[in-house]
Amino acid sequence: PPTVMFSSGVNNTDDRSKDSLRNVEQTGEFVCNLATWETRDQMNQTSATLAKDVDELALAGLTPAPSKLVRPPRVAEAPVHLECKHIKSIEIPNWGEEDCFVLVLGEVIGIHIRDEMITAEGLIDVARMRPIGRLGYNDYTEVSGDSSFTMIRPP
């Protein structure tokens, strides 16, 4: 099945879960909202370690949108949303008692893509979307028309 993953890492001896991990494990559902160049600052704000009762979407100025197949909301500003059912969480070996790293796997059960991100051929225009990805530390990368290329796979 189509599967996505994200990792959750915290250094917190009182509550070893970030809200994302806790919410996924409690509800069995989540939405993977594609972060883009346009939403990079808001995405970064939602990564803060905050009290459980703080609404991270509101804090970042993002708009919740109802999902179709799961209870958690989608982020209206994201061009792609993947509605997911939790498959499993895997704790990753770590370097000390304070660190906790968890790999979360989810089965994609619903996909939403903005129409303007789909080409006339029915393909996703990744360069137009300008998605970002985390590299490590505080570093990220952006996929743009200048950085993407096509290679045909051999038969």
Side-chain angles (χ1 to χ4, degrees):
T3 306
V4 297
M5 79 65 111
F6 72 90
S7 62
S8 178
V10 294
N11 185 306
N12 182 343
T13 55
D14 294 332
D15 178 3
R16 295 175 59 86
S17 283
K18 293 279 283 182
D19 288 342
S20 298
L21 176 61
R22 181 184 314 101
N23 292 341
V24 167
E25 291 182 338
Q26 286 178 355
T27 67
E29 303 174 330
F30 65 96
V31 178
C32 177
N33 299 283
L34 191 71
T36 65
W37 181 256
E38 290 178 356
T39 61
R40 68 191 181 280
D41 292 327
Q42 293 94 333
M43 177 276 309
N44 194 41
Q45 287 179 336
T46 66
S47 70
T49 301
L50 304 166
K52 294 177 191 178
D53 60 342
V54 175
D55 182 339
E56 293 166 359
L57 290 181
L59 180 71
L62 294 169
T63 311
S67 295
K68 306 287 185 196
L69 301 172
V70 298
R71 289 169 296 212
R74 298 178 286 147
V75 174
E77 290 79 5
V80 174
H81 315 102
L82 306 174
E83 295 188 34
C84 301
K85 289 284 187 184
H86 182 232
I87 296 172
K88 69 165 38 176
S89 297
I90 304 164
E91 189 163 341
I92 305 300
N94 56 60
W95 297 308
E97 290 298 316
E98 295 129 22
D99 298 321
C100 180
F101 303 96
V102 179
L103 176 73
V104 178
L105 298 167
E107 178 183 356
V108 179
I109 61 170
I111 300 172
H112 308 271
I113 304 169
R114 278 195 204 142
D115 289 342
E116 63 267 22
M117 297 299 166
I118 300 174
T119 67
E121 297 79 24
L123 303 173
I124 297 172
D125 188 345
V126 177
R128 180 175 185 187
M129 194 179 308
R130 298 177 68 192
I132 61 172
R134 181 138 185 228
L135 296 173
Y137 307 108
N138 291 319
D139 298 331
Y140 290 80
T141 188
E142 172 201 7
V143 178
S144 68
D146 295 331
S147 67
S148 64
F149 58 94
T150 301
M151 291 176 43
I152 306 300
R153 291 179 166 176

